[in-house]
Amino acid sequence: MMKTIDDFAVEGVRVLVRADLNVPLDGGHVADDGRILASLPTLATLKARGARIIVCAHLGRPGGKPDPRYSLAPVAARLAGLLGERVEFAADTTGPAARAAVAALRPGGVVMLENLRFDAAETSKDDAQRGRFADQLAGLADLYVSDGFGAVHRKHASVYDVALRLPHAAGYLVQAEVAALARLTANIRRPYLVVLGGAKVTDKFGAFGSLLGAADRILVGGAMAFPFLAALGHPTGTSLLAADQVDAAAACLDKAVPGQIELPSDLVVAAEVAASAPHRVVAADAIPDGQMGLDIGPETAARFTAALGEAGTVFWNGPMGVFELTPYAAGTLAVARAITEGSAFSVVGGGDTGAALRALGIAEEAFGHVSTGGGASLEFIEGKTLPGLAVLETP
Ligand code: ADP
Ligand code: MG
């Protein structure tokens, strides 16, 4: 059984919280604080109960060495604002600054450690190397709380190894994520529709095969559509497409029952990824030379809307177009509206998909659950064992 923070007396206890604070930064400022907000319930509760709180997290991919561009300092500042509490920032992760800040912690106080990935040991494939780093992290605390859902599919020192070294509990975010995603793995209310889009296409093909085994229909948009259009022999112009994805798409089409995979029938195309570029709607099987698909077209949006209106369960991962630019946001907006106006139990996964909802002004409360984890939520509903969750089940 996974214990939660409610199972522990935490007053005065040093609690190491692994959070997912991997937020987009824009010129040193937090551009989207969704993941910080999602971490607040656990942090605020621990604070109210008088724990000495040590927050650790990663930001971006600094490559195992300190790099000021990936400092968590701006994140600590935003967290302080949201918590309404001073957050002491340690300039290193497990070094003298971290140890001094932790030693000075009062009950209810909060310290944030510098980016875990400034140390190559955090993500190392070598168990011993990760173990040594986990020893240092564990040495800072008496209890470990896992609340960084977006990282639980990684066997990283702060996600996995540290839980082997300290009493451990799931935070409220991890608890809520697991409860919601579990509804997509058993007793699924049908029809079960999956909407897949976005740009991390190669990563998502891993999940596509197993989703075909679970979902009644998979609606495909975003850059995910191009390998399928190419596999069917249609031109894709200059659309985002890696050659190796075409075989994967062909294999999915082979595996699917007829009609199970729904592709765009029309697309918004332009010569470049720019709001100012002239754009128009074309048939999806006739992308002109020199043009790229940047959104699903209105006919596709209407088809997807109709399908989603009849769904019992929906899982959505990946925007339908380049929603960051207004001319290519309509498809993503249509899908979001269709899901929220329907009666399906809905889960949205994917960092950029969550950011799209916030950018387009769609209330997260209108969905059953908005997951903070992209890869983690996909792997969960694929039925894979996630190291950071499995380790919480151990005594
Ligand atoms: P998530 O984080 O939700 O899993 P991804 O990271 O896979 O989503 O992809 C998000 C990105 O996909 C967005 O920045 C969006 O601009 C981009 N995108 C969506 N459709 C297209 C397209 N047709 N061509 C290029 N990029 C696209
Ligand atoms: Mg993304």
Side-chain angles (χ1 to χ4, degrees), residues 59-97:
L59 183 72
R61 294 187 173 172
K65 53 183 188 320
D67 180 337
R69 288 174 300 168
Y70 296 100
S71 173
L72 276 169
V75 176
R78 177 65 66 93
L79 175 64
L82 292 169
L83 264 181
E85 166 76 12
R86 229 186 120 78
V87 172
E88 214 58 57
F89 184 68
D92 58 31
T93 312
T94 55

Side-chain angles (χ1 to χ4, degrees), residues 198-200 204 222-223 226 240 293-294 317-324 349-353:
K200 280 196 199 158
K204 295 179 188 185
F226 305 124
L240 190 64
L294 295 173
N317 175 293
M320 295 292 97
V322 182
F323 71 90
E324 296 92 336
D352 290 288
T353 313

Side-chain angles (χ1 to χ4, degrees), residues 174-250:
V174 161
Q175 233 188 315
E177 294 269 11
V178 168
L181 292 167
R183 294 178 65 177
L184 304 183
T185 59
N187 305 316
I188 303 172
R189 181 147 57 103
R190 296 193 180 269
Y192 173 25
L193 267 63
V194 170
V195 186
L196 276 186
K200 280 196 199 158
V201 175
T202 302
D203 291 357
K204 295 179 188 185
F205 266 118
F208 210 107
S210 37
L211 289 174
L212 279 171
D216 297 293
R217 287 158 97 177
I218 302 185
L219 315 181
V220 180
M224 194 84 214
F226 305 124
F228 288 96
L229 295 172
L232 293 170
H234 304 315
T236 56
T238 52
S239 302
L240 190 64
L241 175 65
D244 62 330
Q245 296 162 354
V246 182
D247 286 344

Side-chain angles (χ1 to χ4, degrees), residues 336-363:
R337 289 219 174 104
I339 295 172
T340 56
E341 285 165 14
S343 56
F345 171 67
S346 58
V347 174
V348 180
D352 290 288
T353 313
L357 299 181
R358 291 183 286 277
L360 299 173
I362 297 163

